[in-house]
Amino acid sequence: MVALSDRKIEIVRMLVESAPDRIVGGLRLALADSVGDSVLASVRQLVEVEAVDRLMRNAVFQPLVPLCVGDGGDKQKLTFPAQALSFAWRGLKASAPAEMAQAVRASAAVAAAQASEQRVPDPSPAYNLLLTAAAKAFRAGEVREFKAAAELCERARPGGAEAFAACLDIAPIVRKTLPRLGDWIAQAGDETSAPARLAYKDAVAVVEDAGPRFFEMLAAQLNPPWMVLRIISAIMDKPTERYLADSELGGFPERVMAQIDESLKAIGKLDLDGGRETGREAGRLVELITQQVFELEVCIELNREHGWGQRIVGQKKALANLVEGRLRDAEKLAAAALPNQSSGFARPRRSGPKLDESPDPKAVGRAMTLLNFTHEVRLCANYGGFSAMHAKVVEKLGGQIDHYVEDVLDIARTGDAPPAIAGAFLAVAADMVALIRDEKAAELVRRRAAKACAPPDNSVILDI
């Protein structure tokens, strides 16, 4: 196969350079096996060079990389266009060759030490020189690539270019904190709060209003980002809500509470016909809310009578009401998916399984949506304030399903219902048992159903 022409290679190069990191990484894996002089081999080499270059770029700009996503227009948090990072990197190659060469040598030394399992040298000094050069060039706007990056940032948000440069100013300080972030959010006390306070002071010493940007950069490195509340609390020694609200950092708790409101709306709009994953996703939102409320209550001195404290109390009540309503619906829909009917005219009337037709897919789907929701919220029920209702509903459902299974098994054994229909309802019941109890209990129901609904042995023994 003929190799690509230089013109086509240049087109591919431009496409690869403008692609997101995940696309480049995917291409690198997909083309790993292409060898020789084929077209794919030349593309593979191009992608490999770009991937290695991006690893170097992301190492240098590590404190800012998580902030550079999409078009950078997020209204809730500080972000920059992803393309701005690419332009800044190209600008550094053009305007700071000496600093770039030093960073390349530092990166190569790290790779060599890792390969030989020796002590890894710290490349931070070389990387930080590039960040300093980038901040200077960004503000000067003389290099074409930096000018393009600044224009992108300005289009994303007013003052975006200066915000990007300001983040570059404190990026060396943020880089120094990154290895410690895990300890800062996992442990409390002077051993963690003291270095966190020192890093914060270093950041605001660079420029007085650097505090919010410092925490935005830390939050972007964390998963989930709102865990930065622990660091804020440690630095401010668990501030009162009034003090924090009046400070420049008040936007961080406000953002978390806004996320809780959005999650509550999503749970309230749960689509019962959405299926199992929809129910699980709503359940995960419940768990997320309980975690976020916990962090707010632990990290801030709240007053339940007004302000944030009152708002959070209201959110907890709204959550409990929503979940309890869904749990009651789960009980009703489970009964609808495993329908019963009255038998005869005896007094009192006895109800039994209705096995004259196959399970209704819609009824089963709606029940499984809420049973998956019920299963997902079990671990956060205590802190969420709905543990009593959850335990009550699960116990009642378990008893009802057990009774239903025994009745269907009896009917299946006597042949009073088509085996296929009885087996279908038992399969639904087994799936419910897996969510109400566990998979072991569900498997027991499935084995009993297989035995009860098996076709009869029609073999004939001849008496010779």
Side-chain angles (χ1 to χ4, degrees):
M1 185 178 292
V2 179
L4 291 177
S5 65
D6 291 344
R7 179 175 175 275
K8 290 182 179 179
I9 282 288
E10 188 60 29
I11 293 174
V12 174
R13 187 192 313 279
M14 292 175 61
L15 291 173
V16 171
E17 287 180 353
S18 62
D21 287 0
R22 61 182 180 83
I23 299 299
V24 174
L27 284 173
R28 188 183 190 186
L29 291 175
L31 298 172
D33 295 332
S34 60
V35 293
D37 296 328
S38 67
V39 174
L40 288 181
S42 59
V43 174
R44 179 190 64 80
Q45 185 177 9
L46 190 152
V47 171
E48 185 72 23
V49 171
E50 178 66 19
V52 171
D53 185 66
R54 291 199 185 195
L55 288 174
M56 176 72 179
R57 181 201 70 186
N58 291 344
V60 171
F61 284 100
Q62 184 184 15
L64 276 83
V65 168
L67 294 176
C68 299
V69 291
D71 63 359
D74 194 315
K75 304 301 181 184
Q76 301 299 319
K77 57 186 178 181
L78 181 63
T79 58
F80 303 106
Q83 202 65 23
L85 194 65
S86 299
F87 278 121
W89 182 241
R90 294 176 206 164
L92 281 175
K93 290 180 179 180
S95 62
E99 292 88 344
M100 183 64 72
Q102 188 173 345
V104 169
R105 289 193 295 270
S107 179
V110 169
Q114 290 174 337
S116 59
E117 297 184 353
Q118 296 178 352
R119 184 178 178 180
V120 177
D122 183 11
S124 296
Y127 291 172
N128 291 340
L129 283 176
L130 276 177
L131 294 180
T132 301
K136 183 178 179 180
F138 211 94
R139 290 189 173 96
E142 297 174 354
V143 179
R144 182 184 60 183
E145 290 83 359
F146 281 107
K147 186 177 180 180
E151 290 174 354
L152 282 173
C153 293
E154 284 297 324
R155 284 202 296 267
R157 67 179 69 241
E162 177 54 34
F164 192 95
C167 286
L168 287 170
D169 289 337
I170 62 172
I173 298 169
V174 173
R175 187 194 303 280
K176 191 175 180 180
T177 70
L178 297 184
R180 307 177 185 178
L181 283 184
D183 291 336
W184 287 1
I185 64 172
Q187 303 174 14
D190 291 339
E191 292 185 1
T192 57
S193 59
R197 288 194 189 101
L198 183 60
Y200 176 72
K201 289 180 179 178
D202 289 342
V204 296
V206 174
V207 59
E208 189 176 353
D209 63 351
R213 286 189 296 275
F214 174 74
F215 288 110
E216 290 280 7
M217 294 172 76
L218 294 187
Q221 301 283 343
L222 296 172
N223 186 22
W226 42 264
M227 292 294 284
V228 75
L229 289 174
R230 296 191 181 186
I231 302 175
I232 294 174
S233 180
I235 290 174
M236 302 181 74
D237 196 18
K238 192 174 182 179
T240 64
E241 64 174 83
R242 183 173 180 178
Y243 179 77
L244 184 55
D246 291 339
S247 75
E248 58 188 359
L249 304 179
F252 289 90
E254 289 278 3
R255 187 186 303 170
V256 177
M257 286 180 275
Q259 291 173 359
I260 292 174
D261 287 335
E262 290 300 315
S263 296
L264 288 171
K265 290 178 184 178
I267 296 169
K269 296 178 181 179
L270 172 62
D271 180 12
L272 298 180
D273 295 315
R276 304 179 186 216
E277 184 53 38
T278 300
R280 286 193 287 266
E281 179 60 31
R284 287 191 284 268
L285 283 179
V286 172
E287 184 176 10
L288 173 63
I289 291 173
T290 59
Q291 291 173 348
Q292 290 175 321
V293 167
F294 175 80
E295 291 300 324
L296 289 166
E297 292 181 331
V298 167
C299 296
I300 308 169
E301 196 70 45
L302 299 169
N303 189 322
R304 296 170 59 91
E305 304 302 324
H306 59 77
W308 290 348
Q310 187 178 51
R311 181 179 177 183
I312 292 169
V313 168
Q315 289 175 329
K316 290 181 70 174
K317 289 180 179 179
L319 176 65
N321 290 336
L322 274 173
V323 174
E324 289 180 357
R326 293 304 184 188
L327 291 173
R328 286 189 289 268
D329 291 341
E331 187 178 335
K332 296 175 185 176
L333 292 177
L338 302 176
N340 284 288
Q341 63 184 355
S342 299
S343 58
F345 297 94
R347 291 287 188 269
R349 291 188 179 185
R350 293 193 311 150
S351 66
K354 185 179 180 181
L355 303 177
D356 53 350
E357 58 184 14
S358 298
D360 179 5
K362 183 174 182 178
V364 172
R366 290 164 71 89
M368 294 307 296
T369 296
L370 286 188
L371 287 177
N372 275 275
F373 173 82
T374 301
H375 177 77
E376 201 69 37
V377 303
R378 68 195 187 283
L379 298 179
C380 60
N382 188 40
Y383 188 79
F386 47 86
S387 59
M389 172 63 77
H390 186 271
K392 179 181 177 182
V393 167
V394 168
E395 182 179 2
K396 188 174 181 179
L397 277 172
Q400 290 177 344
I401 295 172
D402 286 346
H403 184 73
Y404 184 88
V405 167
E406 295 301 329
D407 285 350
V408 175
L409 287 172
D410 288 342
I411 294 172
R413 292 189 189 101
T414 59
D416 292 336
I421 293 179
F425 276 105
L426 287 171
V428 172
D431 290 343
M432 292 183 176
V433 168
L435 296 169
I436 296 300
R437 293 199 177 96
D438 53 42
E439 188 58 39
K440 185 176 180 181
E443 189 58 33
L444 177 60
V445 172
R446 296 186 184 104
R447 288 201 301 268
R448 296 180 67 195
K451 183 177 181 180
C453 299
D457 186 0
N458 294 323
S459 59
V460 179
I461 301 177
L462 297 178
D463 188 7
I464 300 177

